[in-house]
Amino acid sequence: MSTSATECIFCKIVSGEIPAPHLASNADAIAIADISPVAPTHYLILPRRHEANAIALHRSEPEAMTAIFALVDTLITQSGLSDYRLIFNTGEEAGQSVFHAHLHLIAGRPLSWPPG
Ligand code: AMP
Ligand code: ZN
């Protein structure tokens, strides 16, 4: 599945066309709260660049992955989190519904393993 950047909801959040408070940001990525949280803490870290998934982003702009993880560092430090899960859903079968790469940061309750 692919979505053009002009139709992409996360591109619209990055550009500000759809308002969403930035919890943290840097030159290549922003962090927002997930609109439908699955745990007490559920953040999304979005690269500013539109790529369909994490590996496409890694291939086209590897420094954006560093920028994403820098925001994870900021968020866990700000929130005092030591126990959390980081997830890049990739492909519909793996649960991806927005085809603009994004990292889920989930915490605040016991998280089962293996995932469903
Ligand atoms: P995924 O299923 O991995 O593609 O994750 C997409 C995530 O984006 C879901 O957890 C949605 O709840 C979240 N989401 C969709 N639209 C918005 C929005 N406008 N603001 C914040 N989060 C959103
Ligand atoms: Zn996009």
Side-chain angles (χ1 to χ4, degrees):
M1 166 113 190
S2 68
T3 308
S4 74
T6 50
E7 296 299 315
C8 172
I9 189 166
F10 285 175
C11 282
K12 291 178 179 175
I13 288 174
V14 167
S15 72
E17 185 180 340
I18 294 176
H22 294 192
L23 307 176
S25 66
N26 58 33
D28 292 324
I30 68 170
I32 63 170
D34 197 291
I35 201 169
S36 182
V38 301
T41 298
H42 188 169
Y43 302 139
L44 298 175
I45 301 97
L46 321 176
R48 293 183 188 274
R49 179 186 182 91
H50 178 90
E51 293 289 348
N53 60 54
I55 295 304
L57 181 68
H58 162 71
R59 289 175 179 162
S60 69
E61 191 179 63
E63 58 273 29
M65 299 305 278
T66 301
I68 286 170
F69 280 91
L71 293 186
V72 172
D73 192 355
T74 299
L75 292 164
I76 64 164
T77 301
Q78 282 176 354
S79 305
L81 290 174
S82 58
D83 296 60
Y84 51 88
R85 189 167 288 168
L86 300 173
I87 302 171
F88 283 111
N89 291 325
T90 302
E92 284 179 42
E93 194 170 84
Q96 188 176 8
S97 60
V98 178
F99 291 83
H100 175 130
H102 54 281
L103 179 63
H104 295 260
L105 167 56
I106 295 167
R109 65 168 172 79
L111 298 167
S112 61
W113 191 261

